[in-house]
Structure formats: structure tokens, C-alpha cells
Amino acid sequence: MVREFKLPDVGEGVSEGEIVTWLVEEGDPVSEDQPVAEVETDKAIVEVPSPVNGTVREIIPGEGEVVPVGDVIITFDVEGEPVEDQTEGEAKRAGEADSEADAEPTAPDAGDSEEVSTGEGRVFAAPSARRLARELGVDIAAVEGSGPSGRVTDRDVRAAAEPGESSDTSDDGADERDEALAAAEEPVGDDVAATREQGAQPTTEDFSAPAESADRDRTLAAPATRRIADERGVDLNAVPATEQRDGEAFVTEQAVREYAEAQQRAQRADAAGSAGAGAESGERVERVQYKGVRKTIGEAMSNSKFTAPHVTHHDTAVVDELVATRERLKPRADEQGIRLTYMPFVMKAVVAALKRHPKLNAELDEEAGEILRKNYYNVGVATATDAGLMVPVVENVDGKGLLQISSEVNELVQKARDRSIAREELQGSTFTVTNFGAIGGEYATPILNHPEVGILGIGELKQRPVVEDGEVVAKHTLPISLTIDHRIVDGADAAAFANTFMEYVENPELLLLE
């Protein structure tokens, strides 16, 4: 039987996910709990496991597509059951396709399903082949497939279109575009020279006689090669293969890079031909999709900035004693395999200050008209990652020692950066610390991690000139930037909190009393 698998709720409250990478291909055998896809939510990338033992029948959304939770993303032929049995969902889709085929017998609309229903049964075709058939005006139901199990490929569609209307699709600049597209299909000779001029090293493999032509249904490649193809927007099945492995076409990373460069030249030629422009020029604007984690961060920042009136208080602590204390404790931490940074000292000092100034360990419930002052201390640590800013949370900091805090911070930060962090590890903070000084700089105006009412920014800790007893001396100093929600925290409250915090970092032995 055919088993449909819907995108599950991979995190509490998640409504959609982006398909980052398919880890399987159609026709691959899978076992229960085997990861089949990587899905990106608004906070992390998670692996989605197969619910059954079987064979991948159909992959529905492509990589990069955003799918609502509950939508079918993949179907399986379940082992030990007849393949012919359809699920209710498949039967419905087949019926819809039948209706479309009856309404437009000369150009059936395949939609997003691999199966196209016709009067004679189902036609199997790759999504790219269906799209190409519509563009060329080819009746895909009349095309004889040469792929596995009679699947219709792009090559089959082009062959069916050759005697017909493919010539009608030309436009201004077609000769230049076709020449560039030909180069994209088979980069030899001048293309290798062009690649060399662009700084890339030409491959020593023979592209003039590929082991397998383009427009395949299955291509083998190393994970790094697949990642490059995904970054460059390249369809691996369209890249000329240079060898075969286990009877399948194999594509190298160099082949993908050269194909991508040839595609870019083709696109520029296409743009130049359509516009009737003169000389070809490089792209001046790169378009990057605003989605996923980046979009979530932007929405959160906007909500915070335009909800709470922000005020930032700046000051500087002289922290020679803190530097000396850390240097004394660092070897003991190293013996236990823990890297001791200044962050645990900062977090303990923050909690000590929050206990004396509870207005900053709170949030405003606008609907209820209440200020919620919290008697627990979960500190968020703003972390820069490749995907954007994340805030892992260390819970109950007041009840933990420096080494335990250090260990947890190091682990959570690493998990955030490699996108393996759990959603619940990013929730529940009552106050946030952001260490922009790790990159450089003294002061900033941090945006609140809404609905919190305070966030402490830490500048670069280094020696600076300080006036002491009328003389200028070099001292280790720590610049701080404290942003507050001015609706419930006054400027005087912010200054008092900052003074208490500086008292603890300037005299770290006081933390022993907490």
C-alpha cells in the first residue's frame, strides 16, 4: 500500500517548515526512523524520520519550498503490501487530475504530483518534465518515457517537441542565449578557458564525452557536491556526468561549479537579448530570500522596537580584579575540561543585581494590565550564528556554580551555531545578555528580547586609560550598555541596576556571598 507522510509539528507552535535537504531520492529503500529530510523551522534545522519500512515512492515539495505543518511531503510504498492500493489522498489527487485531463486533453496540467492521470491510466513524469511539456506545448500523456518504470524525462519531452513547436519559443537574442545554454549543458573548450580567466581551476576530466548525459532522473554525488549545487541553485540531474559508479551517473564538485558559471552566463545573455541591450555586464544586485530564521528575527526585533519604548544606559566598570580572578580559576576549570570565560561571572553578577532590582526581572502583560515580576532567573545569551541571532537560555542561574554555568553556555552556544538546538532551549528567559564586545566595540543600543524589560550589552574587555588618584593609568575596563523598557523601568532604576552589576564585576569575591 502507499503511505502518505505529512510534515509533523517539529517544534512546539511551529506552523510551517522549509525543506532544506532531501536525504533520500525516489526509489530509495528506507527503514523506520531513518532521516529522510532536513527541515528548517524559525529556530533550528531538524531531521524528519521515516515512519515506516518501505521504498520512497514520491517526493512532493522540492528543496527550498516552505510547507505548512500537516501537508503531505513524501509517500512510501510500504513493504509487504501491494503497491497498487491507493490511499484516500492519492485517489483524490488522481481524480482531480482525471478531471483536468478531460477538460484539457491536449495539455494536461500535472500540478505538483509526479503522476498525471489520463484516459489510459497514470503517466509518471518528473516535475521538471511536466513543466517543460507545458512550456513546449507537448501532450505529456502521448510521450513515451525512457526513465525507470517508464517515467517521462526532460529528454523525452524535448525529443517529442523537436518536430513540432519548439522553434516557436525563440525570441530576440535567441542565438546568443542558445549558444550560452549549450555551454551550460556541456562546458568544453572556450568555457574551460573562461573558467580559468575567472580564477577557477579547470577540471582535467573530459567533458566532451560524459559518461552520462544531462536530464537524468538520478545522480550520485558527494554530500559536499550536493551542498554546492543547492547553494548555486543547480539541478544535479542536469549537470553532465564525468563517470559512473555502481552503474549510476556520478557528478563532481568541479563539474557543478562550471555548470553554474555557464548558467550564469546564459542568464546574462538571455537578459541582454530580451532587453536589446549592448555589452554584457555583471550582476549589481544579489537577491537573498527573506525567510526562515532571518525573517523570524526581523519580525521579533520589529515587534520589540515598536512595542516597548527603548532607553539605553551606558557605563564602564574597572575589572582588574575580575581578570585576575578568572586567570586564577582558569587552570582548575581546564582540569575538568571546561573552558572558563568571563560570561559566567557576568551572568552571576546580573542575577545578583536582579535580586536587588526586581523591576528588571519582569514583563508587562498588556492585556491583563499587570506587571509580572519573576522570582526565577533564566538568563538568555545572545549568540551570533550563520543563520542569524539566537538566544539560548540557561535556566536557574542563581542555583548554579561558575563551572556549571560555563559548561552549559558553551554547549548551548555550540548547539545554536550548528542548528541542533531544541526549541525549548531557546525559550523562557527572564533577562538577556549580549556580548558584542567579542567582535569588537565598546557601546551599543541592544534591542530588548521582548517581552523582557532589560538586556545588558557587554563591550570589549581590554586595557584603557583610567584616572586614578589624579593620574592616568592603564586598567582593564568593561563597557556596558543596558537597554530597558521605559514603560515600567525608569532611568533611575537602570542606573541603580548598572551600579550594582558593576559592584559585583569589580569585586567578584562578592559573588561568593550569593
Side-chain angles (χ1 to χ4, degrees):
M1 61 178 288
V2 176
R3 172 74 175 272
E4 290 185 338
F5 181 60
K6 300 177 181 179
L7 179 65
D9 184 352
V10 292
E12 182 182 355
V14 171
S15 61
E16 62 184 17
E18 178 185 344
I19 305 296
V20 177
T21 306
W22 282 109
L23 305 177
V24 295
E25 297 181 354
E26 293 176 356
D28 285 355
V30 295
S31 56
E32 187 175 357
D33 294 328
Q34 173 186 337
V36 296
E38 290 182 342
V39 177
E40 180 178 11
T41 68
D42 58 351
K43 291 296 183 183
I45 293 179
V46 297
E47 290 185 340
V48 175
S50 168
V52 295
N53 296 319
T55 303
V56 177
R57 179 182 180 87
E58 179 184 7
I59 291 175
I60 299 174
E63 293 180 353
E65 290 189 34
V66 177
V67 182
V69 169
D71 276 19
V72 177
I73 60 173
I74 189 171
T75 62
F76 303 94
D77 291 329
V78 179
E79 291 182 347
E81 299 291 343
V83 174
E84 289 76 16
D85 293 343
Q86 286 187 322
T87 63
E88 180 180 347
E90 273 196 318
K92 180 179 179 180
R93 289 200 302 273
E96 292 173 350
D98 281 335
S99 300
E100 293 175 358
D102 292 339
E104 296 181 306
T106 60
D109 184 1
D112 290 331
S113 172
E114 186 185 4
E115 298 177 355
V116 179
S117 295
T118 68
E120 300 177 355
R122 296 195 301 274
V123 174
F124 290 86
S128 59
R130 297 196 303 272
R131 184 168 56 251
L132 183 62
R134 289 195 295 271
E135 292 173 353
L136 299 181
V138 172
D139 181 1
I140 200 167
V143 178
E144 183 176 353
S146 61
S149 302
R151 180 189 296 177
V152 176
T153 66
D154 291 10
R155 184 171 53 235
D156 299 329
V157 174
R158 289 196 181 96
E162 282 179 0
E165 302 178 12
S166 60
S167 60
D168 293 337
T169 61
S170 62
D171 57 7
D172 293 339
D175 292 340
E176 184 181 2
R177 182 173 65 257
D178 292 344
E179 188 176 87
L181 287 172
E185 292 292 338
E186 192 169 336
V188 297
D190 293 339
D191 282 337
V192 175
T195 302
R196 194 178 286 115
E197 291 174 2
Q198 294 172 7
Q201 294 298 321
T203 178
T204 58
E205 295 158 341
D206 182 9
F207 279 88
S208 63
E212 182 75 19
S213 61
D215 300 324
R216 298 174 298 276
D217 294 307
R218 179 181 172 89
T219 301
L220 300 181
T225 302
R226 293 186 181 276
R227 184 169 58 253
I228 292 297
D230 182 58
E231 292 172 353
R232 297 289 188 92
V234 170
D235 180 4
L236 278 177
N237 292 330
V239 179
T242 56
E243 58 182 281
Q244 286 191 342
R245 294 189 182 181
D246 299 328
E248 298 281 354
F250 183 84
V251 169
T252 64
E253 180 178 331
Q254 183 65 24
V256 170
R257 292 183 184 278
E258 293 186 355
Y259 183 84
E261 290 166 359
Q263 276 190 322
Q264 290 175 357
R265 291 195 297 275
Q267 290 169 357
R268 288 195 293 267
D270 188 21
S274 300
E280 180 179 298
S281 60
E283 295 181 5
R284 300 180 62 185
V285 177
E286 178 186 3
R287 290 185 176 272
V288 179
Q289 287 190 323
Y290 182 55
K291 62 180 182 179
V293 174
R294 182 75 270 162
K295 183 177 180 181
T296 301
I297 293 171
E299 292 173 347
M301 292 293 183
S302 296
N303 178 58
S304 176
K305 187 66 176 177
F306 296 109
T307 298
H310 285 52
V311 172
T312 303
H313 174 89
H314 303 286
D315 214 326
T316 302
V318 179
V319 291
D320 276 354
E321 287 298 321
L322 175 62
V323 173
T325 300
R326 175 180 175 268
E327 287 302 314
R328 289 195 300 269
L329 297 179
K330 191 173 181 297
R332 299 291 295 270
D334 291 339
E335 291 176 1
Q336 300 185 43
I338 298 174
R339 184 171 63 90
L340 181 61
T341 66
Y342 291 106
M343 183 57 71
F345 294 93
V346 169
M347 294 168 68
K348 291 291 286 186
V350 161
V351 170
L354 288 174
K355 288 183 176 180
R356 289 169 58 177
H357 307 281
K359 288 184 178 180
L360 279 83
N361 197 50
E363 70 174 85
L364 176 61
D365 185 342
E366 295 183 74
E367 292 186 3
E370 297 175 339
I371 297 173
L372 309 180
R373 291 187 180 170
K374 301 172 182 179
N375 297 319
Y376 59 97
Y377 305 91
N378 296 346
V379 179
V381 181
T383 302
T385 74
D386 291 341
L389 189 69
M390 295 189 182
V391 187
V393 179
V394 179
E395 297 181 345
N396 303 316
V397 173
D398 57 322
K400 296 175 180 177
L402 290 173
L403 291 186
Q404 184 178 358
I405 295 171
S406 186
S407 178
E408 290 189 22
V409 168
N410 295 340
E411 180 183 357
L412 288 169
V413 167
Q414 184 57 46
K415 290 169 69 175
R417 287 175 175 161
D418 63 23
R419 306 297 303 281
S420 62
I421 193 166
R423 188 178 182 88
E424 56 268 19
E425 293 174 315
L426 298 165
Q427 297 176 328
S429 57
T430 62
F431 190 94
T432 294
V433 176
T434 176
N435 181 20
F436 51 80
I439 300 174
E442 296 186 39
Y443 301 101
T445 54
I447 295 178
L448 293 168
N449 185 21
H450 189 75
E452 298 166 20
V453 299
I455 179 171
L456 181 67
I458 302 297
E460 183 179 10
L461 192 162
K462 68 177 184 180
Q463 284 192 326
R464 295 180 176 87
V466 174
V467 178
E468 191 173 81
D469 297 329
E471 296 184 359
V472 177
V473 295
K475 293 281 187 177
H476 286 95
T477 61
L478 182 67
I480 65 171
S481 301
L482 174 66
T483 296
I484 58 168
D485 182 344
H486 212 346
R487 293 176 299 177
I488 63 174
V489 181
D490 296 327
D493 299 321
F497 175 91
N499 290 338
T500 301
F501 171 80
M502 290 192 297
E503 180 183 1
Y504 279 99
V505 292
E506 291 178 346
N507 304 280
E509 70 275 6
L510 293 177
L511 294 174
L512 298 175
L513 302 177
E514 295 298 321

